[in-house]
């Protein structure tokens, strides 16, 4: 898969049901998300994240003087702009592996349920880009899927199907409908290598791999016994 193919996938998803593609709650698909309810999940997610970070670093402001959202899909950007309520918030469409920002441009970066849907070679590139555009002593928070747990024979077969994705590959090759959102893992050693010279200060297990994830971010006490294991990293760029 290339970035152009990834862009095409998300353009298709945005055209059909942008909000349902972002939060895949089965009860809200096919245009059934209420916009106010959808937006409130983002507020709740940031409250969870910021509340946790306050224990790890110097207190972070709940609001920022400026904010920039980035997406590979121009249609997703158009949807975000239509919902924008803040003059100091803007959106940028970018399908390049290099982010369209100067070095050390941002004091805080946040990414969730994004990197897990792109092949590792691209998510690694974006992690390096996050560090590049992060200012010294800036904070980066992002989520990835670390691994896939398969405790027994039946779940091992599920794991094999996830790895091979035979059905999806056949449909893609024959051009039957849109591509499915694929899940990819990025193990911790690779993450740490990509983040250098930023320092990882915290790692939390999350529920973000759930098929019906509806924006209600939860930190888990124990890793799941089966399925994907989501991790949220907090890293600080060294001065």
């Amino acid at each position: 898969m290339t970035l152009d193919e990834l862009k095409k996938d998300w353009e298709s998803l945005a055209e059909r049901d942008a909000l349902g593609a972002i939060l895949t709650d089965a009860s809200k698909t096919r245009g059934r998300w209420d916009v106010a309810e959808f937006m409130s999940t983002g507020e709740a997610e940031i409250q969870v994240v910021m509340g946790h970070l306050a224990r790890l670093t110097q207190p972070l402001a709940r609001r920022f003087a400026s904010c920039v959202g980035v997406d590979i899909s121009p249609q997703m950007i158009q949807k975000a702009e239509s919902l924008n309520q803040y003059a100091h918030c803007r959106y940028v469409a970018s399908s390049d592996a290099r982010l369209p920002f100067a070095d050390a441009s941002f004091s805080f970066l946040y990414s969730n349920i994004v990197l897990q849907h792109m092949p590792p070679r691209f998510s690694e590139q974006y992690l390096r880009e996050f560090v590049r555009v992060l200012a010294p002593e800036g904070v980066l928070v992002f989520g990835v899927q670390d691994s896939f747990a398969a405790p027994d024979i039946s779940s091992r077969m599920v794991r094999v199907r996830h790895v091979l994705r035979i059905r999806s590959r056949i449909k893609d090759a024959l051009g039957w409908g849109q591509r499915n959102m694929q899940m990819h893992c990025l193990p911790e050693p690779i993450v740490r290598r990509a983040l250098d010279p930023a320092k990882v200060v915290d790692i939390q297990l999350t529920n973000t791999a759930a098929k019906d994830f509806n924006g209600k971010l939860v930190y888990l006490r124990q890793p799941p016994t089966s399925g994907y294991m989501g991790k949220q990293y907090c890293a600080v760029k060294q001065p």
Side-chain angles (χ1 to χ4, degrees):
M1 174 179 282
T2 66
L3 284 177
D4 284 340
E5 290 174 326
L6 191 62
K7 175 183 176 181
K8 181 179 178 181
D9 289 349
W10 280 100
E11 285 283 80
S12 176
L13 290 167
E15 184 175 355
R16 294 182 60 183
D17 182 10
L19 303 187
I22 296 170
L23 298 181
T24 54
D25 185 331
S27 67
K28 305 293 185 180
T29 57
R30 299 182 181 180
R32 287 178 288 181
W33 265 111
D34 174 77
V35 172
E37 182 184 5
F38 177 87
M39 299 298 285
S40 70
T41 67
E43 179 68 25
E45 180 176 324
I46 292 302
Q47 286 181 357
V48 170
V49 173
M50 290 302 188
H52 178 66
L53 293 182
R55 298 188 297 105
L56 304 171
T57 63
Q58 297 181 16
L60 297 169
R62 185 166 176 267
R63 296 289 184 264
F64 295 90
S66 64
C67 180
V68 182
V70 182
D71 199 281
I72 197 171
S73 165
Q75 289 195 61
M76 284 292 190
I77 291 297
Q78 291 175 10
K79 183 64 176 180
E81 289 175 336
S82 72
L83 299 175
N84 186 18
Q85 302 178 22
Y86 301 97
H88 63 277
C89 182
R90 65 186 179 91
Y91 297 91
V92 176
S94 175
S95 56
D96 197 317
R98 183 178 176 84
L99 295 174
F101 307 110
D103 295 358
S105 298
F106 299 94
S107 59
F108 180 74
L109 275 73
Y110 182 71
S111 173
N112 190 33
I113 57 174
V114 175
L115 298 177
Q116 64 196 42
H117 294 307
M118 60 180 66
R121 67 183 185 277
F122 294 130
S123 53
E124 286 184 64
Q125 290 179 22
Y126 279 121
L127 287 180
R128 289 191 286 270
E129 279 294 283
F130 291 167
V131 175
R132 179 184 67 81
V133 302
L134 192 64
E137 299 186 350
V139 176
L140 164 63
V141 178
F142 65 93
V144 295
Q145 302 307 317
D146 179 88
S147 55
F148 189 94
D152 53 38
I153 294 177
S154 61
S155 56
R156 287 194 187 99
M157 292 302 297
V158 172
R159 180 177 183 177
V160 170
R161 287 198 295 270
H162 275 277
V163 173
L164 295 179
R165 302 186 185 93
I166 294 175
R167 293 180 181 177
S168 295
R169 291 173 187 267
I170 292 174
K171 288 181 180 179
D172 293 345
L174 297 177
W176 292 349
Q178 70 175 40
R179 292 174 180 263
N180 295 320
M181 286 189 294
Q182 298 179 353
M183 192 79 79
H184 300 272
C185 295
L186 204 63
E188 186 174 330
I190 297 177
V191 170
R192 288 182 178 274
R193 182 180 64 201
L195 291 177
D196 187 65
K199 180 181 179 181
V200 175
V201 297
D202 184 66
I203 303 175
Q204 294 291 320
L205 302 177
T206 71
N207 66 328
T208 53
K211 291 183 179 180
D212 59 349
F213 180 71
N214 60 3
K216 295 179 181 178
L217 178 66
V218 176
Y219 294 133
L220 308 177
R221 293 181 179 273
Q222 300 291 335
T225 57
S226 63
Y228 288 99
M229 180 172 69
K231 285 186 177 181
Q232 183 187 82
Y233 291 82
C234 177
V236 177
K237 187 172 182 178
Q238 303 302 295

